[in-house]
Amino acid sequence: QYRAMVWLVENTLYVSYPDDRKIQRWALSTFYYSLYGDNWSVTDGWVTHKGDLENECTWHGISCTESGTVLSIDLKANRVYGRVPDEISLFVDLEYLSLSENQVRSIPASLINLPKLKVLDLHKNRLQEIPGGDYGSRNLEELY
């Protein structure tokens, strides 16, 4: 979280961002650092302050709504490793998350409680912790 915050505030445009964008960029950078993003196969755009990649909606694996909030994260087979951070809960519009074919160890309960999450693809990982609960009562349509 500290590395994510340092990255965020070092951006010269930081003061011009609305609060919701600051939160989204911090959550994405926390996601990156928590899952050893420096070792990912493809990191295009992630934690950069350069040109067209400045907008997090252009980062590898990220799709956004027209208003710019994260709609999907697809990092299949990208050497993602570790524990998905609780900050994933800040993506309230997230509908699709694929971290399949990686080495994800655990996911937080807050991920399962995302109000719009429809597809959660975690197959072929090394999950050691899966939160309990009634997955059928969520909006999930597909769980792998």
Side-chain angles (χ1 to χ4, degrees), residues 8-9 11-19 22:
L8 182 63
V9 298
N11 186 335
T12 56
L13 298 174
Y14 173 76
V15 294
S16 69
Y17 294 147
D19 287 345
K22 289 176 184 175

Side-chain angles (χ1 to χ4, degrees), residues 2 11 13 26 32-33 37 49-50 60-61 72 84 93 96-97 99 103 122 127 135:
Y2 173 77
N11 186 335
L13 298 174
W26 176 75
Y32 176 86
Y33 287 118
H49 298 304
K50 298 179 182 172
H60 172 74
S72 71
V84 174
D93 290 327
Y96 178 92
L97 176 63
L99 298 174
Q103 294 187 35
L122 298 169
L127 288 171
Y135 291 83

Side-chain angles (χ1 to χ4, degrees), residues 22-35:
K22 289 176 184 175
I23 292 167
Q24 177 168 280
R25 290 175 65 83
W26 176 75
L28 282 169
S29 58
T30 298
F31 183 86
Y32 176 86
Y33 287 118
S34 296
L35 294 167

Side-chain angles (χ1 to χ4, degrees), residues 52-120:
D52 293 338
L53 296 176
E54 171 62 33
N55 187 320
E56 59 274 18
C57 296
T58 65
W59 296 357
H60 172 74
I62 302 296
S63 297
C64 295
T65 64
E66 286 187 21
S67 63
T69 60
V70 173
L71 184 64
S72 71
I73 301 173
D74 187 352
L75 295 171
K76 178 181 178 179
N78 201 40
R79 291 193 343 212
V80 176
Y81 174 85
R83 181 185 183 283
V84 174
D86 286 325
E87 286 77 9
I88 192 87
S89 66
L90 296 172
F91 303 123
V92 294
D93 290 327
L94 189 69
E95 294 181 2
Y96 178 92
L97 176 63
S98 177
L99 298 174
S100 65
E101 300 178 35
N102 285 294
Q103 294 187 35
V104 174
R105 301 281 183 192
S106 67
I107 59 171
S110 58
L111 174 61
I112 303 304
N113 293 321
L114 284 170
K116 296 183 181 179
L117 188 65
K118 294 178 183 176
V119 177
L120 178 57

